[in-house]
Amino acid sequence: MSDGNYNRNLLPYRNYQSGLRAGRAQTIARASSILSELLADSPLTAEQRQDLLQTFRQRVSEEP
């Protein structure tokens, strides 16, 4: 007879929220790399590009 907790072994190691955070972090990283590639073709200076990327990362990482 089982003790009722046998299903815990079937669950993934990390909980659902950490999986959401990991997916969100990957999405932000990918969006940042795409934005930096797009900005590389723009006539902005390197300092302006860095400022835009930093602002983008700050705004994206804010919780709604």
Side-chain angles (χ1 to χ4, degrees), residues 37-55:
E37 290 174 9
L38 291 172
L39 289 176
D41 297 336
S42 69
L44 300 173
T45 65
E47 184 177 321
Q48 290 173 329
R49 280 186 240 143
Q50 288 298 325
D51 290 340
L52 284 172
L53 281 173
Q54 185 177 13
T55 303

Side-chain angles (χ1 to χ4, degrees), residues 3-64:
D3 60 357
N5 293 325
Y6 66 94
N7 284 335
R8 289 185 183 180
N9 294 332
L10 302 175
L11 295 174
Y13 174 70
R14 296 180 183 214
N15 64 13
Y16 181 71
Q17 283 296 331
S18 66
L20 286 177
R21 281 187 236 115
R24 188 165 196 257
Q26 288 176 348
T27 303
I28 291 170
R30 179 145 167 83
S32 294
S33 68
I34 291 171
L35 181 62
S36 64
E37 290 174 9
L38 291 172
L39 289 176
D41 297 336
S42 69
L44 300 173
T45 65
E47 184 177 321
Q48 290 173 329
R49 280 186 240 143
Q50 288 298 325
D51 290 340
L52 284 172
L53 281 173
Q54 185 177 13
T55 303
F56 173 77
R57 289 181 185 131
Q58 286 174 350
R59 288 187 182 177
V60 168
S61 64
E62 291 175 353
E63 292 291 327

